[in-house]
Amino acid sequence: MKALGRMVARALLVMVAGVLMVVGLVAWWLNRPLPLAQPHVELSIEPGTSPRDVAQAWVQAGVQADPRLLYEWFRWSGDARRIRAGSYEIDAETSPRRLLAKMVQGDEVLEVVRLIDGWTLRQFRQALAAAPSLKPVTREMSDAELMAALGAPGVPAEGRFFPDTYAYSRGVSDLTVLKRAHAAMERRLAEVWEQRAADLPLKSPQEALILASIVEKETGTAADRPLVAGVFTNRLRIGMPLQTDPTVIYGMGTAFDGNLRKRDLQTDTPYNTYLRAGLPPTPIAMPGLASLRAAVQPARTPALYFVARGDGSSAFSENLADHNRAVNQYQRQRSSK
């Protein structure tokens, strides 16, 4: 009996030692950097990808490990169902434990694309086309088709996207970024419209957006925005044409060569605010938040005119005679330089 007891004890010791060895090996593997085929390995995980397929995809991407081991680790950890879709990058210091943590935390590699205040939609779409790792889903869409895809059929596309810096996961579609920019503009426009001045000569948020786009293009110095908006609202109140060059330039489209000539001001288009009263039919650019606010809360000013001084700021005048003197003064300064 004693001999049997010793045998059982030894067997138990061997089993315990074996278990401890397995546990130690597992712990060692979980915390040991994964061997990679190259210094950095990237992977984009699509929504709905199973944990087993995620493990297999990492191996196909360049992780030199048995995909079954990776999958069993994902499953055994209890976090397999918490793996998030996204774009990930690992380096030679990444262990299986850190790999799973990255995917559970959504520690993605993100790219960014920037929408600049005052850009047209054409410029923004060009930036999207050049953005890295972005699927060009909308590249062949017209502006009207794009707005339909965004759930806003019949809405003019120009000006409907908020200028900002947008981060995105590698491999997502450009439509994803456009949706975010469109939703941001809708939200900002609604917010400022609720804060509009009581006597504003604008009938709708769309008109506020149009005016804001003009203010954006006409302002060289931030401090001038409310005054520029004040000039244009004064003109709207009395039925005076807005007479703003940026609208004419927008109406010329690709025909504009950088020089605005007298004949251009005399050529009728829906955007020629020298020949047509009121606001143009659509925005002419994408205004930033400061211009949106200026459009609905313009400065109370008697000015009806302004002219660029040449340093980014503008000189404001109440009547045409003073305006003409200011034009002559600043034109002479520019021509003497």
Side-chain angles (χ1 to χ4, degrees), residues 143 147 152 154-161 206 281-283:
D143 289 353
M147 294 306 290
V155 176
E158 190 63 81
R160 305 302 308 201
F161 301 88
Q206 171 68 8
T282 72

Side-chain angles (χ1 to χ4, degrees), residues 133-149:
S133 306
L134 199 59
K135 289 181 183 176
V137 172
T138 69
R139 183 174 293 173
E140 302 303 322
M141 290 184 185
S142 66
D143 289 353
E145 290 170 337
L146 171 60
M147 294 306 290

Side-chain angles (χ1 to χ4, degrees), residues 15-297:
M15 289 176 61
V16 170
V19 170
L20 290 175
M21 183 178 296
V22 170
V23 170
L25 285 171
V26 170
W28 172 80
W29 182 79
L30 288 177
N31 294 287
R32 174 177 174 265
L34 287 160
L36 307 179
Q38 54 268 350
H40 296 268
V41 172
E42 298 178 13
L43 179 67
S44 290
I45 302 172
E46 298 293 331
T49 305
S50 71
R52 189 185 298 273
D53 289 339
V54 170
Q56 186 64 49
W58 275 115
V59 173
Q60 292 173 345
V63 173
Q64 296 178 323
D66 189 326
R68 292 171 298 183
L69 288 177
L70 285 176
Y71 168 63
E72 289 301 329
W73 158 233
F74 298 163
R75 190 169 66 88
W76 177 79
S77 71
D79 287 333
R81 296 183 179 276
R82 297 175 59 206
I83 292 175
R84 301 184 186 183
S87 298
Y88 299 96
E89 180 180 353
I90 62 173
D91 58 25
E93 299 300 317
T94 304
S95 66
R97 190 184 297 279
R98 180 59 189 139
L99 172 63
L100 179 58
K102 261 183 175 288
M103 296 186 292
V104 170
Q105 295 165 7
D107 184 9
E108 297 183 63
V109 174
L110 300 177
E111 302 285 357
V112 295
V113 63
R114 216 175 147 211
L115 171 55
I116 306 297
D117 300 24
W119 268 7
T120 62
L121 178 59
R122 178 172 57 85
Q123 289 173 300
F124 185 34
R125 296 189 72 173
Q126 288 173 346
L128 287 179
S133 306
L134 199 59
K135 289 181 183 176
V137 172
T138 69
R139 183 174 293 173
E140 302 303 322
M141 290 184 185
S142 66
D143 289 353
E145 290 170 337
L146 171 60
M147 294 306 290
L150 293 173
V155 176
E158 190 63 81
R160 305 302 308 201
F161 301 88
F162 188 71
D164 204 346
T165 298
Y166 293 94
Y168 60 88
S169 301
R170 291 175 178 174
V172 303
S173 74
D174 54 2
L175 186 61
T176 300
V177 178
L178 285 159
K179 282 180 179 177
R180 290 173 56 201
H182 178 257
M185 181 58 86
E186 292 292 291
R187 184 172 62 255
R188 294 293 195 182
L189 183 57
E191 289 171 359
V192 300
W193 183 249
E194 288 299 315
Q195 300 164 5
R196 67 189 182 277
D199 59 346
L200 200 66
L202 301 173
K203 301 185 179 94
S204 66
Q206 171 68 8
E207 289 192 353
L209 184 61
I210 294 172
L211 179 57
S213 74
I214 297 172
V215 172
E216 187 69 59
K217 298 298 286 186
E218 280 281 21
T219 306
T221 298
D224 284 349
R225 276 196 187 92
L227 287 167
V228 169
V231 167
F232 287 132
T233 53
N234 286 345
R235 291 184 179 186
L236 288 171
R237 284 192 184 96
I238 64 176
M240 177 181 174
L242 296 183
Q243 296 180 326
T244 171
D245 292 353
T247 62
V248 178
I249 291 169
Y250 183 84
M252 294 173 66
T254 56
F256 180 63
D257 62 3
N259 293 311
L260 190 64
R261 302 170 178 85
K262 184 176 181 180
R263 67 172 181 268
D264 299 324
L265 301 179
Q266 296 172 340
T267 300
D268 186 33
T269 76
Y271 293 87
N272 191 329
T273 52
Y274 286 84
L275 301 179
R276 299 194 181 200
L279 293 164
T282 72
I284 60 169
M286 300 180 196
L289 183 58
S291 291
L292 287 169
R293 286 174 173 162
V296 299
Q297 296 176 345

